[in-house]
Amino acid sequence: MRRCLELASKALGYASPNPMVGAVVVCNDIIIGEGFHCKYGEPHAEVNAIRSVENPNLLKQSTLYVNLEPCSFHGKTPPCTDLIIESQIPRVVIGSSDPNPQVAGQGVSKMRQTGIDVIENVLEKECDFLNVRYMTYHKKKRPYVLLKWAQTIDGYIDIIRDGQGQGLQPGRPTQITGWYDQTLVHKWRTEEQAIMVGTNTAMVDNPFLNVRNWNGPLPLRITIDRQLRLPNSLNLFDGSQPTLVFTEKECWAASPAPTFNNVTYVTIPFDDFLPANILNELYKRKVISLLIEGGTQLLQSFIKAGLWDETRILTGKKIFGNGVKAPFITINDHLTV
């Protein structure tokens, strides 16, 4: 099972919105086949593991290990349970149950009905933790939310740009951490399905929100533009990767319609439940994880709403003395899967 987890982890950032799954085929205490779900839309781990076995006749006396319950429905690929049954594998060992309503025990039931010996909950905690994004998405009906910010030793995330927050112009972000931390953040971006900043961060820092310092998949870029005041010249609107803009304006009623290459505008209520409204929309769009890199106002709104799962705080060696205070967080309020 630990080998399954090792294999599955190779797909971090690539499998979403599917879970990360690894599978190992064992015959007479020898691994004769293994595989993992490499990328969304491609064959699942069980398929790759079974196909890797050089002598298919050995499957009839083998055990299949997999860190998540095999699927039992036809999605982008056929059900893995059907292939397991067709291969006449007599024993299957599973780590986690699949919380997806389309599976949720049906895979186990289907295999047992054909006489397969199914053993469940092996290293269950480790298996659940590996797929915490997927588990949160299906159990809580929202993406797994990571809050990330960099702060100075004295607890500030930025200098004061102007007193009223008006008339902000695109410029260079205030650098608090060094190259190593910035590279690490780019690695983190490849591991999450979406990344979000607020209006002021989009305007003042003019970020690309890409992964130019690391190799990996580009996240869905998200920003908030309540009044549609962000200029088209911002890097977020360069068309290089999918971008989502949340606004309260009825975009398609505007003239001319504010449409840009690879940019989608979504109208949602801007009320006291804005964080929940955002997550509800992302849930509908099958986004299972969200990295929030916004300013204090955006980060604090998710903290206040209790809609977060993990924080990643980078502390640089600088001292500002004054400026924009870092978000305040109480670990006791942390909600876990």
Side-chain angles (χ1 to χ4, degrees):
M1 189 58 71
R2 294 196 187 281
R3 178 58 179 162
C4 289
L5 292 172
E6 184 179 12
L7 290 167
S9 66
K10 296 178 182 292
L12 180 59
Y14 291 92
S16 298
N18 282 354
M20 293 178 284
V21 183
V24 174
V25 182
V26 176
C27 183
N28 296 324
D29 294 329
I30 297 174
I31 293 178
I32 62 172
E34 61 182 28
F36 66 98
H37 179 42
C38 303
K39 189 177 181 181
Y40 176 66
E42 295 184 0
H44 289 184
E46 299 92 328
V47 175
N48 290 331
I50 291 172
R51 287 177 178 174
S52 74
V53 176
E54 293 184 3
N55 183 359
N57 291 326
L58 293 178
L59 292 171
K60 298 178 182 179
Q61 49 186 309
S62 298
T63 298
L64 174 68
Y65 292 81
V66 59
N67 61 286
L68 188 71
E69 178 182 2
C71 63
S72 55
F73 68 97
H74 200 299
K76 286 186 174 292
T77 59
C80 291
T81 50
D82 289 357
L83 178 60
I84 294 170
I85 294 170
E86 291 170 7
S87 301
Q88 299 181 38
I89 297 174
R91 188 167 177 259
V92 176
V93 180
I94 298 171
S96 297
S97 299
D98 193 333
N100 185 341
Q102 292 181 289
V103 184
Q106 298 178 57
V108 170
S109 177
K110 190 173 184 179
M111 290 187 291
R112 281 178 172 159
Q113 287 175 5
T114 63
I116 295 176
D117 179 21
V118 180
I119 298 174
E120 300 180 78
N121 305 326
V122 175
L123 294 184
E124 182 180 18
K125 289 184 178 179
E126 291 92 333
C127 293
D128 283 352
F129 181 75
L130 178 72
N131 278 309
V132 67
R133 298 161 180 82
Y134 180 79
M135 296 292 178
T136 298
Y137 178 82
H138 285 288
K139 291 181 179 180
K140 297 186 177 181
K141 310 302 180 185
R142 64 163 175 81
Y144 183 81
V145 178
L146 303 95
L147 309 179
K148 170 264 166 185
W149 69 84
Q151 65 183 37
T152 61
I153 294 176
D154 53 346
Y156 294 96
I157 68 169
D158 202 354
I159 60 175
I160 297 294
R161 302 302 180 113
D162 70 9
Q164 303 300 319
Q166 302 296 323
L168 300 175
Q169 297 297 322
R172 293 180 62 83
T174 303
Q175 297 297 332
I176 295 176
T177 57
W179 177 86
Y180 176 84
D181 288 330
Q182 292 163 23
T183 301
L184 177 61
V185 169
H186 281 226
K187 177 181 181 295
W188 288 345
R189 290 177 181 178
T190 68
E191 298 170 352
E192 309 310 330
Q193 201 173 348
I195 178 173
M196 182 169 67
V197 296
T199 308
N200 284 352
T201 299
M203 179 73 83
V204 176
D205 292 351
N206 194 19
F208 284 94
L209 298 186
N210 57 20
V211 293
R212 58 194 178 277
N213 291 345
W214 197 263
N215 292 321
L218 293 170
L220 168 68
R221 299 186 295 199
I222 303 173
T223 191
I224 299 172
D225 191 5
R226 182 173 185 173
Q227 299 297 327
L228 293 179
R229 66 185 181 93
L230 294 178
N232 303 348
S233 58
L234 291 179
N235 294 325
L236 288 176
F237 304 136
D238 62 7
S240 62
Q241 64 199 83
T243 302
L244 201 64
V245 179
F246 287 112
T247 179
E248 69 175 1
K249 297 291 186 181
E250 294 293 339
C251 303
W252 308 116
S255 181
T259 58
F260 307 98
N261 183 37
N262 225 6
V263 180
T264 302
Y265 283 78
V266 180
T267 302
I268 61 173
F270 274 67
D271 52 24
D272 293 339
F273 304 99
L274 180 59
N277 296 338
I278 290 173
L279 296 184
N280 286 339
E281 183 61 36
L282 294 180
Y283 174 78
K284 296 176 185 177
R285 294 173 178 270
K286 297 183 178 181
V287 174
I288 69 169
S289 68
L290 173 65
L291 176 63
I292 301 179
E293 289 193 19
T296 295
Q297 182 177 353
L298 179 61
L299 291 163
Q300 202 70 59
S301 68
F302 277 81
I303 293 171
K304 181 180 179 181
L307 295 173
W308 64 281
D309 301 283
E310 182 178 335
T311 58
R312 297 178 180 179
I313 305 170
L314 304 172
T315 303
K317 296 181 179 179
K318 293 185 177 181
I319 296 175
F320 284 176
N322 57 54
V324 180
K325 291 291 291 183
F328 175 78
I329 198 163
T330 302
I331 302 301
N332 290 337
D333 294 335
H334 189 178
L335 304 178
T336 57
V337 177

